[in-house]
Amino acid sequence: MRSTMRGSGYVWGSVVASMLCAGCGGGETVDGGGAGDAAPMHLDGGPSAFDAGARDAGTMSDAGAADASTTDASATDAAAADAGDLDAATADAGLTAEAVRPLYPSAGEAFMTCVVADGADELGASGAPCDLTDTSSVAGCFHAGALRAIELTGMVSCAGVTISDALGAFDWTCEDDAGVARAISTGFADGKGLGDLLEADGSAFRMNSVTASGAGSFTSASTRWWNDAIVIDDDGGLNTTSDRIYVATEAANATYEFRDIARAAFVIMPGVALRGGGASEYVVSGLRPRCAWFEGAIDATGHLDGLVSGGAYVTTVHEVTVTNATNEGVQLTTWRHGRAQHVTVRDNGRIGLELQGDYLRAVDVEATNNGGDAVFLRSGRHGVLEDLRLTGGSLVLATTASSVEDVTVRHVELVGGGIRLGRVNGGRIMHVDIRDYPFSGSVPVIRHDAQAPGTTFYDVHVTNSGNLRTGTGQVWVGLTQDEPNEPGGSAALWADGYSAVLGYVSRGARGRGVQPGGFTTMTHGVAVDSERDATLPFSSTTTAFYVEQPDNLLHHVVATQYPHRAFYFLHGATLSGVLRVDDAMSDCAWSTIPGAAVTDANCVPVASGGATVEYGASAGGLLGPPEFALATGDTILRGRATVPTGDDVLTHRFPDQTTAEACTRWGGTSFDATTRRCTAQLLRDAYERFDDGVGNDNGLCESGEDCVWMPNIGAYQGHGDLVLETTIGSGGALSDIRLHRFATNGR
């Protein structure tokens, strides 16, 4: 059993942890609730050169540099020589004599240690020291110096146990798998870093201890937990010596350059902001660091960039704040297995945070009022961006000349900015909130500068912003729009060809509400409450659903409170499920093109056995933004779909491809070499669980996947824990599917 304690004020959190609880909520609960449950479809769980005007990271100058490693560190070494010595006061108090030790002792006692990432997570690794010469490793390594452990003598269970350390520096978890409770630090608490572990003058590590309480109590010996050599460096210059911690204690007008350092850190003490000096382009730079650590605040006024680093391996940027750079706040290029965590970039002239490399992770980034993009992942593979709060700038993934592959983006809050995608191949973008990003020309809130095959969006809310356009062949699950301020001639939600949108609400469009492109699948959708003047003459720009292209599939769709037409079919479409409009008087229009979906102003489909047409107002149970939940008593939108079986399927068509491999990259599972058609068969009224390690994460519920039932029309499908509803076995068109539902449906 493992239970976890975090410091207060943690922003967003990481991936929701899975919990197994037989019999909870009338079924099997597979995910806990929490604040994130308010989301309408809540998780259950190229070129690498710098931009013009910037320099190549390999040309950083040595001129005038002094090696700070010559600083006398003897006092520091003496102070930290024996991390096992007990503090006298602690011993006199009669507390337990055990001292906190490294979680992975074979890697050494130093804070600057890195171990091989060969376990299920960072607490389950073997502890083998990282080979810093093998930078091509796929598994890579991670920094382990902040992971400490101690047995809680006299305590055998973690039940009800709370754990803290005297400095309040760490988050803790408790394990009792071996019959003895053990405290393990999982990383720094919110707002804490290496500087908080040092004495005020930076000369030595502070004493620290662990206290646990619950069924009994425990307090460890108070000791110094690490034995790194510490060097006070307030002069700046070139540093090339490894295995030490460089500490800046003054707001000096100095610049710092670190080259080829290993197992070394540079810490700007809390309360200090480096200002840089001279004509240097940067304030702090790191070239080819390995198992390195950068931390602290930088005022880059008068410099092109604040912190720049190139060619890094297993290096961490932690609790770094950069302001007032002419160009970029933080620029990390050709990094591998690196992290940028708890980073603030503010009032920089161009880009707040730029990343480029493989296996990068950026977590908890705040970017405010930077002159260009807020966060820019220029290129790389297998990256993770998580917990981003961006104001006055956009999130950019690749360009038309650079590519990003297999990227995961979770929890993004954008105010006054959007998302721009270049050549993204395989992306998962989840839990996005975009506000107050006004329409500008023809640029949508989420812009596609190039095709992004295999990219899926999940749980996206857009408020008081421009129109939204999906990319060709993309899958979107759980989308809401409120008060889109697009001009009257444009669609609020424009679904490009071959895309799929499952579960959506578009409210308050000034013109068209929803416009599907050709070969588009749109299910469980609501277009509501146009702001268009009802006295204006009818045109295609006053339509809730404007079906301009051929061969679209509409399943469970509702148009309500529109001043003119609910549906305008310019081409044929397949209609199924519920098709609901406000009244039976001229709510549909169609062209004379053969194969039109309807030829009746009352919206009766041509094909028998198609959609069931309903009449009447529909928005009474639709609650407010951003999630647009449904009232518990609603019967028009809530609870309209029955639990599907393995034969209740829809077929979605992706863009035609030349090979089966290319089809798979787009998310398809069936390829016809003769017609070159790339398709996927999906379970009707369901979507794939995201980020659960099962399936292909293309959003479509397919054989062999864990999925979520969609009982409602709209984005909201319930909230709370996920409960196993049924298992779809063999014998149908789709098989081996575990279908879940939310425990509560309705607010």
Side-chain angles (χ1 to χ4, degrees), residues 86-106:
L86 302 183
D87 178 80
T90 300
D92 290 343
L95 302 176
T96 55
E98 289 85 353
V100 174
R101 297 299 184 191
L103 176 63
Y104 301 117
S106 60

Side-chain angles (χ1 to χ4, degrees), residues 529-553:
D529 184 26
S530 172
E531 294 184 355
R532 193 72 171 173
D533 187 346
T535 64
L536 294 176
F538 166 75
S539 74
S540 64
T541 62
T542 59
T543 304
F545 285 84
Y546 181 68
V547 186
E548 180 183 27
Q549 299 298 325
D551 296 315
N552 293 285
L553 190 160

